[in-house]
Amino acid sequence: MTDATVAPTAASNPSGPPSPGVRASGRQARGTTPPSGPVLFARYAFGPNRLGLCGPEDWRSLLELGAAGAATSAVADRAGSGTQDARPADLDARTRALVTDIDHGLRDLAARFEGAYPYLELIARAHGIADVMDRGVVDAYWIGNELSDQVDPGLMLQSMDARFRAQLAPEAWRWLEGKPQAGARPTHAFHVFDVFPRVGLMRGGAVTDAIKLMDSCRIRWGRVLDVKGEQLVVNAVPLRLVEGKLVLGEARPQNVRRWLDGTGFVSDVAAGDVVSLHWDWACEVLGPARLDALQRRTVHQLELANQTI
């Protein structure tokens, strides 16, 4: 078992999901209720949304609804629902209305993320899941799980063709179109490492300092060193370009936000915990299984990106 602050390495199966060779330690979040799909989406989408890089302009609503949704999930859990979503019959009328309003509000905001939402649609369609914002679907995109692993390469290529082919020169498209058959799957890591260098990731098209931006945009992980009010000091593994290849470097301390004006998604956190990071924002505390999932799929997508970098 390796520490979360050590850059993982693993051999990947080039025709499928990553091998289970990378292991990392992490503590299960204490006393937390698994969030609904819309709340989970908000946790990961808020970082770039606040910076104006993707999604609707109303980032404040995404933050406040996401935080409120987590709180109502806890209420539902105490009501004895026993599931990740509230069962309306277990809640009083006022709480039921609040849960519904928050859910609808988050779904409306999520549908306006032009980069992420089509991936959710692809994953849901591949598995016959009617709810695009199903928690497993959302997790499959941001972190990676068996749903993203098992998306048919042909279906993924159809989605990529519709979204990206017209934006690319023929040579660039030839590189990108072979990725699904080579083992790429529809995760955020794929979008950052393979789509961004060719299509662009953020509004405005061309960007400078691409490696720094890719590092900020990918879903990272960091072990908490200290909690300082609204900020965390974390030891995080950075992305580097070494001899023309993307690699994960040595961990280094950095400050990230966990709250903004008293509102955020990471409250019950302590030194030693591992948190996921998106831009300068702490998304959630990761338990061992999901930390492992994120690390393995990050390494897998890096290996595929380096084949055509």
Side-chain angles (χ1 to χ4, degrees):
M1 181 174 291
T2 58
D3 188 83
T5 57
V6 177
T9 58
S12 297
N13 179 349
S15 63
S19 66
V22 176
R23 290 290 181 266
S25 60
R27 263 191 275 176
Q28 194 66 43
R30 296 171 297 279
T32 57
T33 300
S36 67
V39 170
L40 186 65
F41 185 90
R43 289 181 174 183
Y44 284 91
F46 175 72
N49 186 232
R50 182 178 67 87
L51 299 174
L53 300 173
C54 59
E57 295 180 1
D58 191 8
W59 59 264
R60 178 70 68 176
S61 289
L62 188 68
L63 173 64
E64 293 178 350
L65 287 172
T72 56
S73 292
V75 171
D77 187 60
R78 288 194 296 271
S81 69
T83 66
Q84 68 184 34
D85 298 309
R87 289 192 314 212
D90 296 325
L91 305 174
D92 61 64
R94 183 175 179 181
T95 304
R96 288 201 302 271
L98 179 60
V99 168
T100 300
D101 288 347
I102 290 172
D103 185 78
H104 289 175
L106 287 173
R107 288 172 182 273
D108 177 67
L109 291 169
R112 294 152 67 188
F113 279 79
E114 63 274 15
Y117 200 76
Y119 285 110
L120 303 184
E121 292 178 313
L122 167 62
I123 295 166
R125 183 169 69 253
H127 295 283
I129 298 174
D131 184 5
V132 174
M133 297 300 289
D134 174 87
R135 186 182 189 278
V137 170
V138 175
D139 185 66
Y141 172 65
W142 290 116
I143 300 292
N145 61 29
E146 66 280 359
L147 294 180
S148 50
D149 292 346
Q150 295 169 12
V151 169
D152 179 75
L155 192 62
M156 181 174 172
L157 180 58
Q158 290 176 18
S159 175
M160 290 167 51
D161 187 286
R163 295 181 64 190
F164 305 130
R165 185 169 189 168
Q167 304 178 52
L168 294 172
E171 182 179 359
W173 171 248
R174 281 196 297 272
W175 285 350
L176 189 60
E177 71 173 338
K179 293 294 181 173
Q181 196 58 47
R185 294 297 179 262
T187 63
H188 187 66
F190 163 73
H191 190 77
V192 172
F193 297 146
D194 265 314
V195 176
F196 166 55
R198 295 171 176 83
V199 178
L201 180 64
M202 291 156 288
R203 295 188 180 119
V207 296
T208 58
D209 203 357
I211 301 303
K212 181 179 179 180
L213 289 169
M214 290 168 70
D215 192 30
S216 295
C217 186
R218 73 183 178 96
I219 307 302
R220 314 185 312 283
W221 57 88
R223 189 171 296 281
V224 177
L225 302 176
D226 197 8
V227 181
K228 294 185 175 180
E230 295 199 333
Q231 293 197 334
L232 302 175
V233 182
V234 301
N235 217 27
V237 174
L239 187 67
R240 292 282 181 262
L241 187 67
V242 178
E243 297 181 353
K245 300 297 181 182
L246 296 170
V247 300
L248 297 175
E250 295 296 323
R252 63 184 184 189
Q254 65 179 103
N255 293 334
V256 297
R257 291 179 178 269
R258 66 173 179 134
W259 294 338
L260 182 63
D261 299 330
T263 302
F265 310 127
V266 178
S267 296
D268 186 17
V269 64
D273 288 338
V274 177
V275 294
S276 53
L277 311 167
H278 198 191
W279 291 87
D280 65 344
W281 190 254
C283 306
E284 62 175 333
V285 177
L286 294 176
R290 294 182 69 238
L291 172 60
D292 176 70
L294 174 59
Q295 288 188 322
R296 289 192 294 117
R297 287 165 181 84
T298 298
V299 169
H300 178 66
Q301 295 294 167
L302 272 176
E303 291 174 344
L304 291 174
N306 281 329
Q307 292 175 10
T308 53
I309 196 168

